Amino acid sequence: MGFKEIQLTNTEADNRYASYNKEGTQIVFESNRDGHWQIYTMGIDGEKQKRLINSTANDRRPKYSPYKNAIIFESDRNGTSDIFVYNLDSETLKQLPIDLDLNKHFPEFAPNGMEITFSAESKNGVSHFYKCSTNGKRLKKILADNYNNLAPNLSPRGDQLVYFSNKNTQAESNVIYTKNIITNEENRLTYFVNNSEYPSWSNIRGSRIVYSAKINDMLQPEIFIMRNDGTHKIQITYNDFEDILPVWSPNNINLLITGYRNKHYQICKILLKEPLSPDQKALD
């Protein structure tokens, strides 16, 4: 059962947080192969892997812009975790001047390319969500409570967040929620007995969400897909080792995941048009 997998990295170091550019022709990811976390790019089949920025800092969790040839990421080069944008065409780096004296994580461009979202670790150790313009202005808090909320991801229309949180579980496990940032309506998509993390909207219509979860008697998390209302959950990977951090290709026909392979985390591609069982159907 499951779908065909292609391993794209094979290093004696960890490689994580992979995602595509807008055309689906390049992949960006983080790796500690040089001793600390740095940002790398590669082709869609794992070729031409190269380090993008040379620094002595930890540069982490990169994501491409939906319109420009640019990457947003977090870095501790100033002693705290701040947000930076690197333009690949001009090879220029800038820090976003966000007026918030907190560690900032999980930055992403909004689908309109004009705003970003991120989580910020508050003084009491929980994380809240914010958005601002790509020049760091018009800062607005979009989700705040007394729980640890992580990895905000905007829907293609830009009106809903999907994320994971330990709210309503006595902080014992993470579950996945959506929140409409216009109406403030919130929905819970996964449940207490299953630890579910790192959700990501499918592209174009946002009709599906991919995520990692450890359910029932699983020893390690696997990759699942569900409809955006939390129904019709389908298991995608069946491995003996950890599978996490899934994201969609631009046309939704494959996934990039981080899988624990050969004693390290590696970037793998899951081909949703190539099921391993003849009884399975390819996912549209």
Side-chain angles (χ1 to χ4, degrees):
M1 300 179 69
F3 295 83
K4 183 178 179 180
E5 174 184 301
I6 299 174
Q7 186 173 320
L8 302 182
T9 63
N10 187 18
T11 62
E12 294 184 1
D14 291 327
N15 307 275
R16 308 191 304 185
Y17 287 100
S19 61
Y20 285 97
N21 65 352
K22 57 187 174 64
E23 298 88 1
T25 58
Q26 288 286 306
I27 293 169
V28 68
F29 62 101
E30 68 174 28
S31 177
N32 64 1
R33 64 185 67 178
D34 291 324
H36 56 290
W37 293 110
Q38 291 287 277
I39 296 171
Y40 291 76
T41 57
M42 62 180 169
I44 58 174
D45 295 318
E47 74 278 13
K48 298 181 180 179
Q49 296 182 27
K50 69 174 185 177
R51 184 167 165 175
L52 192 61
I53 306 167
N54 291 316
S55 77
T56 58
N58 288 296
D59 297 340
R60 304 204 54 207
R61 299 190 179 104
K63 286 288 185 73
Y64 274 102
S65 165
Y67 290 103
K68 298 179 179 179
N69 191 22
I71 290 168
I72 194 169
F73 64 96
E74 63 186 76
S75 176
D76 63 3
R77 60 187 62 203
N78 295 329
T80 58
S81 183
D82 291 307
I83 298 174
F84 292 78
V85 172
Y86 182 77
N87 187 301
L88 283 82
D89 292 330
S90 62
E91 298 183 348
T92 55
L93 178 70
K94 71 173 183 179
Q95 179 181 347
L96 299 190
I98 300 171
D99 187 18
L100 192 65
D101 187 23
L102 298 172
N103 286 312
K104 306 164 192 71
H105 305 290
F106 298 101
E108 290 192 4
F109 287 99
N112 62 14
M114 304 300 294
E115 296 177 309
I116 69 163
T117 59
F118 62 94
S119 67
E121 188 177 343
S122 68
K123 302 296 185 181
N124 61 356
V126 301
S127 291
H128 300 163
F129 296 159
Y130 293 81
K131 71 173 182 177
C132 66
S133 66
T134 52
N135 60 9
K137 306 302 181 183
R138 300 195 303 275
L139 181 67
K140 181 181 180 180
K141 189 181 290 185
I142 54 177
L143 189 147
D145 52 35
N146 293 321
Y147 301 94
N148 208 27
N149 306 301
L150 296 170
N153 178 243
L154 274 175
S155 64
R157 292 178 56 184
D159 60 339
Q160 291 196 77
L161 288 169
V162 66
Y163 65 97
F164 69 91
S165 173
N166 63 4
K167 68 179 74 177
N168 301 325
T169 66
Q170 293 76 54
E172 291 182 7
S173 63
N174 289 315
V175 295
I176 293 172
Y177 296 83
T178 58
K179 179 183 179 179
N180 188 304
I181 61 175
I182 299 172
T183 66
N184 288 322
E185 179 185 0
E186 192 165 73
N187 291 303
R188 180 176 177 172
L189 303 187
T190 61
Y191 292 92
F192 172 65
V193 294
N194 304 329
N195 191 70
S196 307
E197 299 178 332
Y198 300 106
S200 178
W201 295 96
S202 61
N203 295 298
I204 305 173
R205 296 187 303 274
S207 59
R208 293 179 294 169
I209 293 170
V210 66
Y211 63 103
S212 65
K214 187 166 64 172
I215 67 174
N216 301 327
D217 296 324
M218 282 183 178
L219 298 178
Q220 302 290 346
E222 301 281 4
I223 304 301
F224 292 78
I225 290 174
M226 61 182 164
R227 291 176 180 163
N228 60 13
D229 61 359
T231 63
H232 199 60
K233 295 178 172 69
I234 300 172
Q235 187 172 344
I236 300 300
T237 62
Y238 292 82
N239 293 307
D240 295 329
F241 300 100
E242 190 173 7
D243 289 333
I244 55 174
L245 303 175
V247 295
W248 300 85
S249 64
N251 54 12
N252 297 327
I253 64 171
N254 66 60
L255 304 170
L256 292 178
I257 71 165
T258 296
Y260 195 74
R261 310 287 187 267
N262 304 322
K263 300 181 180 180
H264 292 283
Y265 288 103
Q266 307 291 350
I267 307 303
C268 302
K269 181 163 56 175
I270 307 298
L271 306 181
L272 299 178
K273 295 294 185 181
E274 299 189 32
L276 297 179
S277 168
D279 298 326
Q280 285 180 271
K281 293 182 179 179
L283 295 185
D284 295 327

